[in-house]
């Protein structure tokens, strides 16, 4: 119940769950006013073991890829000071006296309490094997662990992770990121034995092994063998096998940290964990336990953050509410991305017996495995999704209830299912749509109705749903749709009445040559935004030969480009870029391979063979890009345009050149197609594939443009794609000559470019316009009389093509954008940001609008920790000058730094002197 006088609350532990308790009490107005020592409320003392405040352990692995640890922080000095919270870092509790109601800290300080909450978490289990404490052996739980492992790995070449569960695979990803040859050892017969079954584990293992990580299951660790200097060198397994191991990471589970409770005489579970009742109260009514240190009434210790948050809410309700909230168990559903593979489980994924019916979809080629378990009355008992977890948001809320549609609709690819999964209108109001914050569909729908919410940002601000792991965002949009909230008509607020095809026609027929002119003629005013600017840039790029425009970065066009198109490379989550040279048809010379290898070696880049038969170079800094391009161009390579909404690759098998089954020269045709359509910007990326026979080794029917050789010519398939909703391409025409094929593809692509919506793949476009029957009418029978026009437009594109990398190298003004800003603010391009390095080594993001007003904010993206804000698109939202993060598109008010999509996040606003320069002192 709410306290009517000042009382002392001691919180032992300041992790994610402990801090959530503080937030929950603050939200209830239950914390004492620091300016009123005698006023009502709880005066809180926090005894923390680590020397840093609470941080997001869920995303701990992001530190390995460059995220600033400070960006993981969950607390702020303002929050602590504003609520009078006494946080004592690096001074953990050592002893509890429940009779005197005091806690003694390691420093010797004695802190009295009226109520005590244990949030001590867990510790990693290290198996008692010889050598486990040698240098080179690590656990993986804290920022300190990450820092120690990162430093040690600089001198290491191989690493072994002991444990193939959630944390083990995350640790394996970390070792791989650090550049170590990586092994995973799991004692159970399969990976992730608590989350997936044999089929799911097999799909997961295949994906992980395809990334170069060696997996050893059904075997344990027997000994860490040491080098002469006493450091780890090999890991001996229980079957006698020895693995090279400069680094050994123990990730074989955790144990509750319950020592303080044991010594204080509180009851603990047989297998550990402080025993609590449904109110999270221990056997002492003044002591509570939450999170991983607690054994709840169902006899379990929960290691996930969502149950911990629910326990924190339960205790907050006891201390500052009616005390009716109870915790008797939690949903352990999880959705993760481990080593690049989607993995999800929900409900009871291992329900068995005659009452459970399995429905399984498996695609070994794509590493996809999906299983649903249904009860005798059709209720969904649970499920497992590996490789493609897109249906997780639709399935999880139905656990324990009958599915509102056939199970196949949730499992099969969109083209095979016959119908899409039922929408949010089929969910009951008490279905939890956000597990992180325990938000139901009814709560979201109620907030939409009460506050007139119209978008995901509003839902996040009002309910907290979607602000945790983010896995429920699609479901939240479905709830908005089901509530009858109309999605904003038109492209955006700046072009409210025009779709992308309509904008395209305005530009084409009106010969509009700039964004400014388009806004003046057809827009509603304002500076544009991260939606309309890239669309207009894309349209101008496509129509450049018709309009007499030059390079995509010429003049005003540079201010329209998303970061990928601005720097002609793919932005990665740590703020570096990947470089992908074109390899037409997958054909490459030995000298070109050597050149790529030398570039990767000299610049320290990570290399990966892509699914489109190219080589991707990861980790390049922006200022390195021109030097890298110059060396690749010298080797006869050019931009692969992996950054653009344009042609990516045309994949091929070896065809009749070498294959004894080949009926056509698939390599030659793939090269011809790729060189013809390179640089062609479209509503979305598109890909091609050419197979030399019906054995389909190039997987052409999984592409937007698929070609398969026959005894009489070439068959053309269109509208296929992989991704979250795989679709086989449909046959458009058979037994074409090479010339006839190219003419038909010309028409197909130009018609798609004219009529496709923003970010609409050819698969969705094809279904929307009426399928291949409509295409045959337009592209073969010429029902609209536009054949010649479409073909001529393509010929102008082919004639005008120029490598975009080379064009930048030939343009000093374009090259200048790749260097840190050193000039005055008068040299800032209107609408385009530049990064400036300040005297203290931090970076500012500088922007100047069309009226000359200069803005300066911190360049570090608070959601990723990467210094990228200056590369975002400047625009306006409801009249407010904003910049959109180039990584995840959150928008920030340039005047105040406030995030318009998450009010708890902001950018620092930097002061400017009268001349508009950033003050550094």
């Amino acid at each position: 119940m709410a306290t009517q006088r000042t009382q002392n609350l001691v919180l032992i532990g300041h992790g994610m769950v402990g801090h959530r308790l503080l937030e929950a009490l603050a939200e209830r107005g239950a914390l004492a006013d620091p300016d009123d020592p005698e006023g009502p409320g709880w005066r809180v003392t926090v005894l923390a073991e680590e020397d840093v405040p609470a941080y997001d352990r869920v995303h701990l692995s992001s530190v390995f890829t460059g995220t600033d640890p400070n960006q993981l922080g969950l607390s702020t000095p303002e929050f602590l000071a504003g609520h009078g919270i006494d946080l004592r870092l690096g001074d953990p509790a050592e002893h509890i006296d429940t009779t005197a109601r005091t806690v003694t800290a390691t420093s010797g300080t004695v802190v009295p309490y009226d109520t005590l909450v244990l949030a001590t978490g867990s510790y990693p289990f290290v198996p008692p094997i010889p050598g486990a404490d040698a240098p080179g052996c690590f656990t993986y739980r804290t920022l300190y662990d990450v820092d120690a492992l990162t430093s040690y790995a600089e001198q290491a070449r191989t690493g072994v992770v002991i444990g193939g569960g959630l944390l083990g695979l995350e640790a394996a990803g970390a070792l791989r990121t650090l550049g170590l040859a990586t092994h995973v050892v799991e004692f159970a017969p399969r990976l992730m034995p608590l989350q997936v079954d044999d089929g799911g584990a097999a799909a997961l293992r295949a994906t992980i092994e395809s990334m170069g990580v060696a997996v050893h299951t059904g075997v344990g660790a027997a000994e860490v063998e040491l080098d002469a200097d006493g450091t780890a060198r090999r890991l001996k397994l229980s079957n006698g096998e020895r693995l090279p191991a400069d680094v050994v990471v123990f990730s074989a589970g955790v144990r509750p940290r319950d020592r303080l409770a044991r010594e204080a005489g509180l009851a603990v579970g047989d297998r550990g964990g402080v025993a609590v009742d449904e109110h999270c109260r221990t056997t002492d009514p003044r002591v509570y336990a939450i999170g991983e240190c607690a054994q709840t009434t169902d006899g379990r210790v929960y290691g996930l953050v969502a149950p911990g948050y629910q326990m924190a809410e339960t205790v907050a309700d006891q201390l500052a509410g009616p005390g009716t909230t109870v915790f008797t168990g939690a949903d352990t559903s999880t959705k993760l991305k481990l080593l690049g593979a989607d993995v999800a489980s929900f409900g009871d994924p291992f329900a068995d017996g005659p009452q459970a019916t399995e429905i399984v979809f498996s695609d070994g080629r794509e590493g996809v495995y999906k299983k649903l378990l249904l009860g005798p009355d059709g209720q969904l008992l649970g499920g497992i999704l590996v490789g493609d977890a897109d249906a997780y948001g639709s399935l999880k809320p139905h656990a324990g209830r009958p599915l509102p549609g056939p199970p196949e609709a949730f499992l099969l690819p969109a083209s095979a299912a016959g119908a899409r999964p039922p929408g949010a209108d089929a969910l009951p109001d008490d279905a939890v749509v956000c597990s992180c914050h325990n938000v139901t569909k009814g709560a979201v729908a109620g907030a939409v109705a009460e506050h007139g919410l119209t978008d995901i940002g509003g839902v996040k601000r009002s309910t907290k749903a979607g602000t945790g792991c983010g896995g429920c965002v699609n479901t939240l949009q479905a709830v908005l749709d089901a509530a009858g909230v109309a999605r904003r008509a038109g492209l955006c607020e700046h072009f409210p009445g025009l779709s992308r095809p309509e904008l395209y026609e305005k530009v084409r027929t009106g010969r509009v040559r700039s964004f400014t002119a388009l806004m003046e003629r057809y827009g509603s005013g304002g500076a544009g935004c991260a939606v309309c600017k890239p669309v207009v840039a894309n349209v101008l790029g496509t129509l450049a030969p018709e309009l007499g425009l030059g390079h995509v970065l010429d003049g005003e066009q540079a201010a329209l480009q998303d970061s990928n198109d601005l720097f002609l490379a793919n932005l990665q989550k740590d703020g570096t870029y990947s470089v992908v040279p074109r390899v037409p048809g997958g054909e490459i010379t030995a000298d070109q391979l050597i050149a790529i290898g030398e570039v990767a070696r000299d610049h320290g880049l990570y290399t990966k063979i892509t699914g489109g038969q190219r080589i991707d170079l990861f980790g390049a800094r922006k200022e390195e890009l021109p030097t890298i391009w110059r060396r690749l161009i010298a080797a006869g390579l050019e931009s692969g345009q992996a950054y653009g909404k344009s042609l990516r690759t045309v994949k091929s098998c070896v065809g009749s050149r070498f294959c004894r089954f080949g009926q056509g020269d698939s390599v030659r045709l793939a090269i011809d197609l790729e060189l013809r359509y390179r640089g062609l910007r479209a509503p979305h990326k598109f890909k091609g594939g050419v197979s030399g026979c019906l054995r389909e080794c190039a997987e052409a029917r999984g592409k937007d443009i698929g070609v398969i050789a026959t005894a009489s010519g070439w068959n053309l398939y269109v509208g296929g794609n992989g991704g979250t909703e795989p679709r086989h391409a449909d046959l458009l025409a058979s037994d074409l000559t090479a010339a006839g094929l190219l003419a038909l593809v010309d028409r197909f692509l130009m018609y798609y470019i004219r009529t496709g919506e923003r970010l609409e793949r050819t698969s969705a476009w094809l279904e929307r316009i009426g399928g291949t029957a409509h295409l045959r009418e337009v592209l073969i029978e010429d029902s609209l009389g536009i054949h010649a026009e479409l073909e001529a437009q393509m010929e102008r594109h082919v004639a005008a093509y120029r490598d975009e990398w080379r064009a930048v190298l030939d343009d000093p003004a374009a090259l200048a954008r790749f260097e840190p800003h050193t000039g005055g603010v008068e040299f800032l391009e209107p609408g385009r940001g530049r990064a400036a390095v300040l005297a203290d080594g931090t970076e500012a993001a500088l922007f100047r609008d069309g009226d000359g007003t200069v803005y300066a904010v911190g360049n570090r993206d608070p959601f990723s920790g990467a210094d990228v804000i200056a590369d975002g698109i400047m625009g306006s939202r409801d009249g407010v000058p904003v910049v959109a993060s180039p990584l995840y598109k959150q928008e920030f008010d340039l005047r105040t730094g406030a995030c318009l999509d998450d009010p708890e996040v902001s950018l620092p606003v930097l002061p400017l002197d009268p001349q508009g320069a950033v003050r550094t002192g």
Side-chain angles (χ1 to χ4, degrees):
M1 297 180 62
T3 177
Q4 301 301 313
R5 60 182 178 82
T6 300
Q7 296 190 72
N8 294 319
L9 172 65
V10 174
L11 172 64
I12 300 179
H14 193 224
M16 296 180 71
V17 173
H19 186 68
R20 179 62 197 135
L21 173 64
L22 300 178
E23 291 180 329
L25 290 171
E27 290 164 3
R28 291 166 169 79
L31 298 180
D33 185 347
D35 298 324
D36 183 8
E38 302 302 322
W42 292 98
R43 191 166 306 284
V44 182
T45 301
V46 183
L47 301 177
E49 181 176 31
E50 293 187 66
D51 57 4
V52 293
Y55 54 88
D56 182 0
R57 293 183 195 273
V58 173
H59 295 99
L60 186 63
S61 62
S62 67
V63 178
F64 288 109
T65 56
T67 295
D68 186 336
N70 293 324
Q71 297 300 318
L72 299 182
L74 300 175
S75 182
T76 64
E78 294 77 14
F79 174 82
L80 298 171
H83 295 98
I85 298 170
D86 181 8
L87 173 60
R88 304 182 184 183
L89 298 174
D91 192 16
E94 184 61 33
H95 175 71
I96 299 170
D97 185 336
T98 57
T99 302
R101 295 209 294 270
T102 60
V103 178
T104 302
T106 301
S107 63
T109 304
V110 179
V111 185
Y113 68 82
D114 294 295
T115 294
L116 172 66
V117 179
L118 302 174
T120 49
S122 61
Y123 63 90
F125 170 69
V126 177
I129 60 174
D133 57 351
C137 295
F138 299 87
T139 57
Y140 173 54
R141 291 285 286 171
T142 67
L143 283 172
Y144 173 82
D145 294 335
V146 171
D147 184 59
L149 180 55
T150 301
S151 298
Y152 194 90
E154 292 177 358
Q155 308 301 320
R157 299 178 61 186
T158 59
V160 178
V161 177
I162 298 176
L166 296 176
L167 292 177
L169 296 184
E170 192 173 276
L175 293 186
R176 187 171 172 273
T177 298
L178 293 173
L180 275 63
T182 304
H183 297 256
V184 174
V185 175
E186 170 56 49
F187 183 76
R190 64 175 185 263
L191 294 173
M192 293 185 67
L194 299 181
Q195 285 79 29
V196 301
D197 61 5
D198 290 341
L204 178 61
R205 178 171 185 159
T207 298
I208 291 174
E209 289 182 330
S210 72
M211 302 175 71
V213 176
V215 177
H216 311 263
T217 55
V219 64
E223 180 182 357
V224 178
E225 297 182 343
L226 310 181
D227 214 341
D229 60 0
T231 60
R233 189 59 59 220
R234 287 171 299 277
L235 179 70
K236 181 181 178 182
L237 303 182
S238 57
N239 62 3
E241 183 181 0
R242 287 175 167 81
L243 304 178
D246 303 321
V247 170
V248 177
V249 179
F250 293 100
S251 189
V254 295
R255 301 291 185 269
R257 302 186 70 175
D258 55 15
R259 177 186 64 82
L260 290 172
R262 288 178 186 272
E263 294 177 354
L266 301 176
V268 297
D270 293 338
R271 302 184 65 183
V274 186
V276 298
D277 64 13
E278 67 272 19
H279 299 294
C280 296
R281 193 165 35 218
T282 70
T283 46
D284 183 320
R286 291 184 177 271
V287 181
Y288 296 81
I290 57 178
E292 292 178 297
C293 70
Q295 184 198 64
T296 59
T297 56
D298 59 355
R300 300 182 63 179
V301 174
Y302 289 90
L304 299 174
V305 68
Y309 282 178
Q310 294 174 37
M311 292 185 221
E313 293 283 350
T314 300
V315 172
D317 186 58
Q318 284 292 303
L319 301 182
T324 57
T325 302
V326 297
F327 182 91
T328 57
D331 177 12
T332 57
S333 301
T334 55
K335 179 173 182 268
L336 305 160
K337 186 176 283 291
L338 299 169
L339 286 166
D342 286 326
V343 181
S345 65
F346 55 91
D348 181 1
F350 302 110
D352 57 11
Q355 301 301 310
T357 300
E358 291 187 1
I359 301 174
V360 176
F361 170 80
S362 179
D363 183 349
R365 296 173 305 173
E366 300 294 333
V368 172
Y369 174 86
K370 307 178 189 181
K371 182 178 81 170
L372 299 183
L373 290 160
L374 302 182
D377 297 322
Q379 72 270 30
L380 179 62
L381 301 178
I384 295 169
L385 306 171
V386 175
D388 174 12
D390 194 51
Y392 175 81
S394 300
L395 287 166
K396 189 183 78 65
H398 288 293
R401 314 170 190 271
L403 285 172
E408 294 81 3
F410 295 89
L411 297 184
L412 296 177
S415 60
R420 296 186 183 276
D425 53 342
L427 292 174
D429 282 346
D430 61 347
V432 174
V433 294
C434 175
S435 294
C436 291
H437 294 286
N438 201 33
V439 183
T440 65
K441 175 203 168 181
V444 174
V448 170
E450 180 180 353
H451 303 295
L453 307 180
T454 59
D455 57 19
I456 294 294
V459 172
K460 289 180 176 180
R461 290 189 292 271
S462 295
T463 68
K464 281 189 170 289
T467 62
C469 70
C472 61
V473 168
N474 289 340
T475 304
L476 299 181
Q477 182 61 60
V479 174
L480 284 168
D481 295 342
V485 177
R487 300 194 187 194
R488 181 172 284 169
L491 200 60
C492 64
E493 66 177 82
H494 304 98
F495 294 97
L498 294 174
S499 64
R500 186 232 168 242
E502 290 168 334
L503 271 179
Y504 179 93
E505 282 304 303
K506 298 290 186 186
V507 173
R508 186 177 73 88
T509 58
R511 300 191 63 78
V512 180
R513 304 180 75 249
S514 70
F515 181 84
T516 299
L518 188 66
M519 179 67 79
E520 290 174 352
R521 292 194 205 178
Y522 305 110
S524 61
C529 65
V531 173
C532 62
K533 282 188 167 183
V535 169
V536 174
N538 179 279
V539 169
L540 292 174
T542 301
L543 291 170
E546 321 293 312
L547 303 174
L549 299 175
H551 193 263
V552 293
L553 300 184
D554 285 349
E556 185 193 63
Q557 285 194 75
L560 309 179
Q561 307 292 350
D562 211 341
S563 55
N564 285 6
D565 286 287
L566 179 65
F567 297 111
L568 309 179
N570 281 53
L571 180 64
Q572 303 300 321
K573 66 179 183 179
D574 61 354
T576 64
Y577 287 81
S578 66
V579 178
V580 187
R582 186 171 301 287
V583 182
E587 184 178 82
I588 191 168
T589 68
D591 288 340
Q592 289 170 336
L593 280 172
I594 291 170
I596 291 173
E598 289 176 340
V599 167
R601 178 198 62 204
D602 296 346
H603 289 269
L605 306 180
Y606 169 75
T607 57
K608 185 180 187 303
I609 306 296
T610 74
Q613 299 175 331
R614 301 197 288 191
I615 300 174
D616 208 338
L617 308 174
F618 288 87
R621 300 188 308 276
K622 185 196 315 177
E623 59 269 21
E624 292 180 291
L625 293 173
T627 301
I628 291 171
W629 298 342
R630 190 171 283 111
R631 293 180 63 177
L632 294 175
I633 289 171
L637 297 164
E638 65 177 12
S639 168
Q641 290 190 303
Y643 47 81
K645 300 296 184 285
S646 55
L647 174 68
R648 294 297 173 88
T649 64
V650 180
K651 186 176 180 179
S652 74
C653 64
V654 295
S656 58
R657 291 193 187 183
F658 295 98
C659 180
R660 66 184 187 275
F661 302 111
Q663 293 182 310
D665 189 350
S666 53
V667 176
R668 181 69 262 163
L669 182 59
I671 292 172
D672 291 344
L673 288 167
E674 189 158 343
L675 295 183
R676 183 170 183 79
Y677 303 122
R678 58 186 172 176
L680 181 65
R681 281 175 162 75
H684 209 311
K685 64 183 178 184
F686 63 98
K687 304 176 183 180
V690 183
S691 288
C693 72
L694 295 177
R695 283 173 173 79
E696 249 284 69
C697 293
E699 301 169 332
R701 289 197 63 195
K703 310 299 182 187
D704 301 88
I705 303 165
V707 183
I708 300 177
T710 69
S712 303
W714 302 95
N715 286 354
L716 174 61
Y717 298 82
V718 296
N721 71 260
T724 58
E725 293 187 357
R727 184 185 190 279
H728 266 114
D730 295 333
L731 179 65
L732 182 61
S734 303
D735 298 330
L736 298 167
T737 64
L741 173 76
L742 291 176
L744 186 51
V745 176
D746 286 355
R747 295 176 220 143
F748 171 79
L749 289 174
M750 280 304 176
Y751 189 53
Y752 164 56
I753 287 169
R754 287 191 178 191
T755 58
E757 295 287 357
R758 169 181 175 264
L759 301 182
E760 185 176 41
R761 291 291 300 267
T762 62
S763 56
W765 168 77
L766 183 59
E767 293 180 0
R768 178 174 62 82
I769 65 173
T772 52
H774 173 75
L775 281 187
R776 290 190 184 98
E777 291 176 0
V778 175
L779 304 183
I780 296 176
E781 300 169 15
D782 201 13
S783 61
L784 300 180
I786 58 174
H787 276 193
E789 187 178 316
L790 297 176
E791 292 174 8
Q793 187 176 352
M794 184 63 78
E795 290 298 340
R796 288 191 288 273
H797 160 76
V798 174
Y801 172 78
R802 186 184 180 199
D803 176 29
E804 291 176 351
W805 287 352
R806 186 183 294 275
V808 168
L809 296 178
D810 293 341
D811 183 353
L815 272 175
R817 295 192 185 97
F818 293 81
E819 297 296 333
H821 182 67
T822 55
V825 295
E826 67 273 14
F827 296 107
L828 290 172
E829 300 173 85
R832 186 78 260 172
R834 295 294 297 272
V837 180
L838 304 181
D840 62 359
T842 62
E843 293 186 10
L846 305 177
F847 296 88
R848 183 160 68 93
D849 65 19
D851 297 327
T853 303
V854 176
Y855 304 92
V857 294
N859 194 34
R860 179 149 295 175
D861 174 41
F863 293 93
S864 68
D867 292 323
V868 295
I869 293 297
D871 300 337
I873 291 179
M874 182 183 182
S876 61
R877 175 168 162 180
D878 298 327
V880 173
V882 299
V883 60
S885 165
L887 281 169
Y888 303 115
K889 310 307 179 188
Q890 294 94 344
E891 290 186 321
F892 298 88
D893 186 335
L894 285 169
R895 304 167 306 173
T896 66
C899 178
L900 302 185
D901 300 303
D902 187 340
E904 297 182 2
V905 177
S906 64
L907 297 173
V909 176
L910 305 177
L912 298 168
D913 63 23
Q915 287 72 45
V918 180
R919 293 186 189 137
T920 58

